[in-house]
Amino acid sequence: MNVINSTIKQAGTFTIEFSLVGIFLGVLFLFSADIIEKLSMKGKLDRLSYSATSLVKERTQLYGENYLTSSQDADLVFRVVRDSLTRTTGSFDVARFGMVLEEQTYASDHSANSLKTLRRGTLACTITAPLSQVENDLTVVTSWGRKATLYRVTLCYSTENMVEKVLDNGFAMVSSSAVVVGR
């Protein structure tokens, strides 16, 4: 009788321990899946923000050194990035995507002109510091003695936040910025 009673107690203890470990492993797997999704999107946004700044910069070679980015240019860059994300991301939702294109030009006396900011998409990207605040660290004087134009493209996407549903904590916004010196 003593042997049967001991086996029943061990089975109950095993069930309790397994449920606690199972809950911990489930949360760990959920957290890992959430992080993997965010890192994947961050990598895509990193590559696309760099490509988008290159697209904007190279337009000056086609249209001349004093070419200013227009609203149509921002629309074109937004469509290219949006279409690329649509092709590479199976669950891409354009309503959760946003873009900010910034252009900092300079006058002939090296003073900064007003910062041109073009926003696209339904998601409002938050920028920690406008390009005009960090431009002193990034400006380059060309061989012709003028300051080169600076371009920055910030892309942001609101991902699913699986961890928040379980732990009431986490983040959903993934963003990436790229700055390039114009010609």
Side-chain angles (χ1 to χ4, degrees), residues 4-162:
I4 295 173
N5 194 11
S6 175
T7 306
I8 292 172
K9 287 182 180 178
Q10 287 178 359
T13 303
F14 176 76
T15 304
I16 292 170
E17 288 174 356
F18 182 73
S19 65
L20 292 175
V21 170
I23 290 171
F24 175 75
L25 286 176
V27 170
L28 182 67
F29 288 143
L30 185 67
F31 181 73
S32 297
D34 195 41
I35 292 296
I36 289 168
E37 178 190 2
K38 286 173 178 34
L39 284 175
S40 173
M41 183 55 72
K42 174 78 169 151
K44 291 173 188 172
L45 293 179
D46 284 345
R47 289 187 296 278
L48 285 171
S49 64
Y50 179 76
S51 296
T53 54
S54 296
L55 262 174
V56 174
K57 178 187 98 166
E58 294 302 324
R59 294 184 66 77
T60 59
Q61 185 175 11
L62 294 173
Y63 297 108
E65 64 192 46
N66 295 324
Y67 179 77
L68 295 176
T69 305
S70 67
S71 182
Q72 291 81 15
D73 295 331
D75 292 339
L76 175 68
V77 170
F78 180 77
R79 278 194 311 270
V80 167
V81 171
R82 180 197 63 206
D83 293 347
S84 180
L85 281 171
T86 302
R87 283 189 307 274
T88 59
T89 307
S91 61
F92 178 73
D93 182 9
V94 73
R96 296 165 46 190
F97 175 64
M99 179 186 90
V100 178
L101 183 131
E102 295 171 287
E103 177 184 58
Q104 180 64 64
T105 57
Y106 300 92
S108 58
D109 65 349
H110 295 288
S111 63
N113 295 330
S114 62
L115 178 68
K116 187 174 200 174
T117 303
L118 302 165
R119 294 181 178 272
R120 296 294 180 268
T122 54
L123 185 65
C125 294
T126 56
I127 299 172
T128 55
L131 189 57
S132 58
Q133 289 181 357
V134 295
E135 52 111 356
N136 288 335
D137 298 330
L138 302 172
T139 55
V140 174
V141 177
T142 65
S143 59
W144 296 335
R146 62 179 181 87
K147 283 188 174 182
T149 303
L150 294 174
Y151 301 100
R152 177 167 69 178
V153 174
T154 303
L155 304 175
C156 55
Y157 188 76
S158 179
T159 60
E160 284 292 324
N161 193 358
M162 295 180 274

